[in-house]
Amino acid sequence: MKYSIFTRTGRPLSTSDPGSRRTRPSRSRWLSTAAIATTAGLLLSGCGQEQGDSNVIDYWMWDTQQLPAYQECADLFEKENPQYKVNITQTGWDDYWQRLTAGFLADTGPDVFVNHVSRYPQYADLEVLMPLDEQEATAGQEESEYAEGLMDIWTGADGHQYGSPKDWDTIALFYNDTELKEAGVTPDELGNLKWNPQDGGSFEDMVAHLTVDENGVRGDEPGFDKDNVAVYGLGLSDPGGGNSGQGQWGPFANGAGWEATDQPLWGTEYNYDDPALHETLDWYFGLSDKGYMPKYGQFNQDDGTLSQLMSGSVAMVADGSWMVPAYAGSEEFDIGTARMPEGPNGTAPTVINGLADSISSDADDPEVAAEWVAFLGSKKCQSVVAEAGVVFPARNDSVARTEEIWTEQGFDTSAFTDPVDEGETFYLPITSHGADVTALTTPAFQEIWSDRPPSGEVLDPINGAINDLFLTEEQ
Amino acid sequence: MTAVSPSTGPRASSSTATEAQSPPRKRRDDTRVALMFIAPAALGLGVFLLWPLIRGIWLSFTDYNLLTPAEFVGLANYRRLIADPIFWDSMKTTVYYVVLNIGIQTVVAMIIALLMYRLTQSTLLRGLVLTPYLVSNVVAGLVWVWILDTQFGVGNQILSWLGIDPIGFFTDSAWAIPTIALVNVWRHMGYTALLIFAGLQTLPASVYEAARLDGAGEVRTFFSVTLPLLRPIMALVLIMTIIGSFQVFDTVAVTTAGGPANATNVLQLYIYDMAFDRFQFGYASAMSVGLLIVLGIITVIQYRLSRADTSDMG
């Protein structure tokens, strides 16, 4: 099931980044407004889509790479329960959420769908999700069977469970093995670096060393021309990664002691005014001033860091474990993985996140939907997902198989799993008003990268505006 | 703009003339027939314009997220609008865009129209001028994104042959709005030129003859004869294009999505994001009403200043 989705130049054929689960500004998102308008119109005129066949379970997902594995699960489920039929619909990330909203509005949405932590709090607030702990089939899910923390992130502020964990992911460094060899660096060295916001530490030295200008001069050698760089040491495409720099500066900031919110889950106060964050950002984006990292707008943001690394324009990038199958498609050179560097506070942290299946509150038959959700989280389906080698399955008893497959493909999976084993992981911020926070922070991080003002000047006022959102709620 | 046609003579308000000439006849009551003819259009107007307008204004006084019933909140959305720095920033961005877009577009369209009028009779050539307008905004936007891509774009390739460093046309905050404005000038100039061209054709040849006899040169004729006589047409063209320009959305949505850092966060895009991404339909409606008021004021001022309802001819 290994297939390449890339053209010869290494640019993705499809604009929908498979497996991307970062929130980011979208270009095609608005196309779906038409869909909303149309469905709303259909609803008003009383000719809504055919609904109510409770033997058919509509299941929506966005990741094309995971589709074959879940189709296999659906076939297994249908074999065990011949009275039901599972209908899978895949939509690219950019249009997925718009279609879902339109579906909730017009009652033409799925029964079960893949959900993301950046979105579900809003849906929970809007009461369009069915609490899984109230359904017979899913009520008995054991926290201990899933990777640590996954149940927690899918438990709402009201204590109800809104998602059944299906997989998890962490962030690590992906490197171009050829570039590494040419620079005389071993993967082991790359995975044991330290950074600090003052001089960047051994991590910045490494990034500088891996950077090569048009004349073949390395970033740490005299005569380096920072305005004509052939290979950047570190790639970057999206400055904010939603609102906490998941695959960008998030792990660095956390290693410098920054916490996005006042409590790990369901916080009511954001900390974008923390000097530890400002120091981290000023250092991080400063790498692009030094010529070690691309400048804003230099590469097309929609192509992602994937195409930067695959086209040989950068030597390494930070990216999520869900991207392993995509990087495995590299034909011209090998790609390997290494752990994120250690920060000033002595930890080498990474973001842990996971997707889950949620049941829509307009599901035709919630109990049937819950049976399918329970099956998706069962060992049967999870081992199929593990075998596909596309993502770490959520179940502890299935994850080893994925590790094996990825190790065979030449990826060091400990880069992703060690932080989990050592307890050096943190969550994405899960709070109410997520869409508002992202709407305010996205332009801010763009500004910090493109115009390079001191990040405190940009973030302090925004932090006030964000925290006001939560104040109004309490009144 | 069809009010003036050469056959009805030089008077703009020719309807009064024809009415006076027609013989007095016993009037039949045509109201019922008229209503029947108007009904289909009136139904469309009511369902697709009036009702959404009224509902939009109503929603602007509510807190509405699409999924739960709207809740009346009085003027809260408007108070928020007045205090929202992003709204006013967005308004400034939009006005900047409109000034660039309309300023350049009108001048270019005028030149094209004059060239079409004076230099060519070829229908093919006149048709070609219109071709960019036949491309949809989204397609035009995407094609320009490719052409102007910093890394792989043809446009930047050509610049590099000229020894100019690549320019981030859509990714540099100083360049983004001018670039989008010019993309839309490119798309709309042919159409605007056609409107002006049609206006030029209505100008009587006699005044040009008189101008020539008085010894006026090309430039003098343009500023003293063509431009004043074209005023009602230009007023209409400007009112239409300015309203259209304020509603810029699709080009921005496909090229920059408001970035970098709100540099191209035009009003329609901000409204769209507020509604369909942040589910704040009440506040988004209030901003739409704000835009409606601004456009209303601009149109009235323009109408007054340009005296669009009167002509210098006659």
Side-chain angles (χ1 to χ4, degrees), chain A residues 87-100:
Chain A
N87 205 346
I88 303 183
T89 309
Q90 182 270 333
T91 314
W93 167 272
D94 284 343
D95 295 327
Y96 186 80
W97 304 101
Q98 289 296 329
R99 278 195 71 177
L100 208 52

Side-chain angles (χ1 to χ4, degrees), chain A residues 372-385:
Chain A
W372 166 237
V373 169
F375 185 79
L376 285 166
S378 71
K379 192 174 179 192
K380 267 182 203 151
C381 174
Q382 290 265 298
S383 54
V384 170
V385 175

Side-chain angles (χ1 to χ4, degrees), chain B residues 10-48:
Chain B
R11 290 178 65 91
S13 48
S14 55
S15 59
T16 45
T18 34
E19 220 168 74
Q21 280 157 18
S22 59
R25 194 190 288 173
K26 197 184 172 201
R27 284 182 172 272
R28 257 186 317 154
D29 186 15
D30 291 338
T31 317
R32 291 180 67 182
V33 182
L35 283 178
M36 264 170 63
F37 276 104
I38 292 170
L43 187 75
L45 188 79
V47 171
F48 294 111

Side-chain angles (χ1 to χ4, degrees), chain A residues 285-401:
Chain A
F285 290 108
L287 292 175
S288 74
D289 300 339
K290 295 170 188 160
Y292 303 155
M293 191 166 78
K295 289 191 163 51
Y296 181 84
Q298 210 165 341
F299 292 90
N300 190 333
Q301 182 172 331
D302 284 3
D303 293 346
T305 47
L306 177 72
S307 78
Q308 294 178 7
L309 189 67
M310 299 285 262
S311 64
S313 308
V314 306
M316 67 173 166
V317 298
D319 213 334
S321 52
W322 68 90
M323 291 300 279
V324 167
Y327 287 106
S330 167
E331 284 163 9
E332 284 164 39
F333 45 83
D334 288 335
I335 287 178
T337 44
R339 189 168 174 175
M340 294 298 284
E342 186 183 307
N345 72 358
T347 67
T350 189
V351 184
I352 186 164
N353 188 36
L355 306 187
D357 294 305
S358 293
I359 302 177
S360 157
S361 54
D362 353 286
D364 301 326
D365 185 338
E367 276 307 323
V368 175
E371 274 179 48
W372 166 237
V373 169
F375 185 79
L376 285 166
S378 71
K379 192 174 179 192
K380 267 182 203 151
C381 174
Q382 290 265 298
S383 54
V384 170
V385 175
E387 196 62 44
V390 284
V391 71
F392 286 123
R395 286 184 74 91
N396 290 327
D397 51 17
S398 309
V399 74
R401 182 64 192 133

Side-chain angles (χ1 to χ4, degrees), chain A residues 211-284:
Chain A
T211 305
V212 186
D213 74 7
E214 305 272 2
N215 303 317
V217 180
R218 294 197 171 272
D220 55 355
E221 289 167 0
F224 168 70
D225 179 4
K226 67 178 176 136
D227 295 317
N228 291 295
V229 175
V231 181
Y232 290 94
L234 186 63
L236 180 65
S237 74
D238 174 357
N243 52 29
S244 61
Q246 182 184 13
Q248 293 81 17
W249 40 264
F252 294 100
N254 187 271
W258 179 65
E259 303 282 348
T261 48
D262 55 348
Q263 41 195 359
L265 296 170
W266 301 105
T268 53
E269 217 180 299
Y270 274 84
N271 298 321
Y272 289 115
D273 56 352
D274 185 343
L277 173 67
H278 302 164
E279 270 181 12
T280 306
L281 292 175
D282 291 339
W283 164 77
Y284 181 79

Side-chain angles (χ1 to χ4, degrees), chain A residues 71-81 375 380-381 384:
Chain A
Q71 187 56 56
E72 215 178 315
C73 286
D75 296 343
L76 283 176
F77 181 74
E78 285 170 10
K79 208 184 258 175
E80 277 184 21
N81 305 279
F375 185 79
K380 267 182 203 151
C381 174
V384 170

